């Protein structure tokens, strides 16, 4: 399925639903979307369980139908490595990934320990997989350590969105990409502009590509308004770097 997420081209959701594990989960966009989709023709069957973790075997073959090589975000509406997703089903997801090497798959999780175990002890990672973890503030640096431990990952990336703490001192050793942005929605929390600057400057020091997705509900001036009006420039510059880009 095509998507408006700027750093990918398609989303593929053989798993939907999740449970809250950290501060970034408080105003989860996917939970809100799942509730909306559960009442819409064409999607209400898939989301009949709301945001409870659910596997969808009937969605496994979707990538085989894509005619062009595609950048795909895997499980944008949940977490593939949630404890309620059976290892046997995760295997089936990666069987598809392995047999479609023309596509690039971005896998993002908050369950970094389970993900690291899976690739260290259970299955070899393939070159068309980018692995990422959410790290919204310094409290969750352990996720970065688990990610760093997956030795053969082609790309390791961080999603610091919403950014909820100052990460000026983050260690970006063996991290190939950082995505960040502010929170959207009615209950969005404000991110001070200096936190974004500090993360950008850390990426610059480590020569790590930096992708500033959006300001979200609060603009660079700290005023709450439509995220579309707030835009995505930081200090007048649009940062949309991808893995492999250099400063």
């Amino acid at each position: 399925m095509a998507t408006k997420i700027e750093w990918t081209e398609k989303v593929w959701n053989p798993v939907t639903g999740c449970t809250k594990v950290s501060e970034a989960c408080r105003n989860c966009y996917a939970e809100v979307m799942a509730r909306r989709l559960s009442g819409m023709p064409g999607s209400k069957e898939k989301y009949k369980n709301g945001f409870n973790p659910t596997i969808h075997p009937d969605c496994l073959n979707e990538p085989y139908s894509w005619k062009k090589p595609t950048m795909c975000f895997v499980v944008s509406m949940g977490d593939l490595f949630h404890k309620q997703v059976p290892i046997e089903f995760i295997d089936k997801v990666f069987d598809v990934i392995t047999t479609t090497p023309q596509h690039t798959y971005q896998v993002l999780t908050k369950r970094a320990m389970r993900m690291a175990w899976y690739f260290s002890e259970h299955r070899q990672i393939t070159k068309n997989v980018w692995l990422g973890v959410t790290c919204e503030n310094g409290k969750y640096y352990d996720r970065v350590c688990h990610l760093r431990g997956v030795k053969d990952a082609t790309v390791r990336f961080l999603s610091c969105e919403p950014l909820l703490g100052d990460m000026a001192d983050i260690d970006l050793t063996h991290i190939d990409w950082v995505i960040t942005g502010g929170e959207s929605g009615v209950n969005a929390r404000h991110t001070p502009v200096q936190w974004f600057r500090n993360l950008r400057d850390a990426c610059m020091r480590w020569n790590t590509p930096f992708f500033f997705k959006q300001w979200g509900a609060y603009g660079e001036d700290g005023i709450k308004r439509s995220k579309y009006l707030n835009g995505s420039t930081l200090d007048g510059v649009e940062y949309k770097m991808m893995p492999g880009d250099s400063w």
Side-chain angles (χ1 to χ4, degrees):
M1 179 183 294
T3 178
K4 294 181 180 180
I5 300 172
E6 296 176 59
W7 45 264
T8 196
E9 296 172 334
K10 288 183 182 290
V11 294
W12 174 39
N13 283 293
V15 173
T16 58
C18 199
T19 52
K20 292 174 170 44
V21 292
S22 66
E23 294 166 38
C25 301
R26 185 190 300 177
N27 301 316
C28 178
Y29 79 91
E31 183 176 16
V32 174
M33 189 179 295
R35 286 201 299 267
R36 185 163 65 246
L37 291 170
S38 67
M40 295 175 62
S43 59
K44 61 182 180 180
E45 177 62 26
K46 183 171 185 176
Y47 291 93
K48 64 184 179 181
N49 294 329
F51 205 55
N52 293 319
T54 305
I55 62 172
H56 301 282
D58 56 319
C59 295
L60 282 170
N61 290 331
E62 284 181 17
Y64 293 119
S65 67
W66 303 338
K67 296 180 180 179
K68 297 180 180 179
T70 297
M71 182 80 70
C72 173
F73 179 13
V74 182
V75 188
S76 64
M77 292 294 292
D79 194 323
L80 180 61
F81 289 101
H82 193 284
K83 64 181 180 180
Q84 289 177 237
V85 180
I87 290 294
E88 294 77 15
F89 191 76
I90 298 174
D91 283 339
K92 290 180 180 180
V93 171
F94 280 100
D95 286 344
V96 175
I97 289 172
T98 300
T99 54
T100 53
Q102 70 274 29
H103 304 313
T104 300
Y105 295 90
Q106 300 157 309
V107 180
L108 177 64
T109 185
K110 291 183 176 70
R111 278 77 180 178
M113 184 180 295
R114 194 179 193 214
M115 177 266 293
W117 170 85
Y118 183 81
F119 289 114
S120 298
E121 304 294 334
H122 182 72
R123 187 183 188 112
Q124 185 175 358
I125 192 169
T126 53
K127 291 183 178 181
N128 62 332
V129 176
W130 296 6
L131 284 187
V133 297
T134 301
C135 185
E136 63 264 41
N137 60 34
K139 182 178 178 181
Y140 303 104
Y141 278 169
D142 63 305
R143 296 176 184 168
V144 184
C145 295
H146 288 302
L147 174 64
R148 200 178 280 127
V150 183
K151 301 299 183 183
D152 296 325
T154 299
V155 168
R156 301 178 191 86
F157 70 96
L158 306 183
S159 175
C160 304
E161 184 188 11
L163 184 62
L164 299 176
D166 189 355
M167 299 174 66
D169 298 326
I170 189 169
D171 180 352
L172 293 174
T173 302
H174 300 311
I175 300 301
D176 304 294
W177 190 30
V178 172
I179 303 165
T180 192
E183 194 166 37
S184 300
V186 175
N187 299 312
R189 290 158 284 184
H190 175 240
T191 300
V193 61
Q194 194 59 46
W195 290 0
F196 287 125
R197 289 172 176 154
N198 290 344
L199 184 55
R200 174 200 61 194
D201 293 349
C203 288
M204 193 179 299
R205 288 195 305 273
W206 290 89
N207 195 27
T208 302
F210 177 73
F211 194 107
F212 183 65
K213 182 183 170 188
Q214 62 177 20
W215 279 101
Y218 290 90
E220 192 166 11
D221 56 6
I223 296 175
K224 194 173 185 180
R225 60 172 76 82
S226 165
K227 70 176 184 179
Y228 301 106
L229 294 175
N230 287 327
S232 61
T233 61
L234 175 59
D235 293 329
V237 179
E238 187 173 69
Y239 297 95
K240 303 294 184 185
M241 301 174 74
M242 295 293 289
D245 291 343
S246 295
W247 288 87

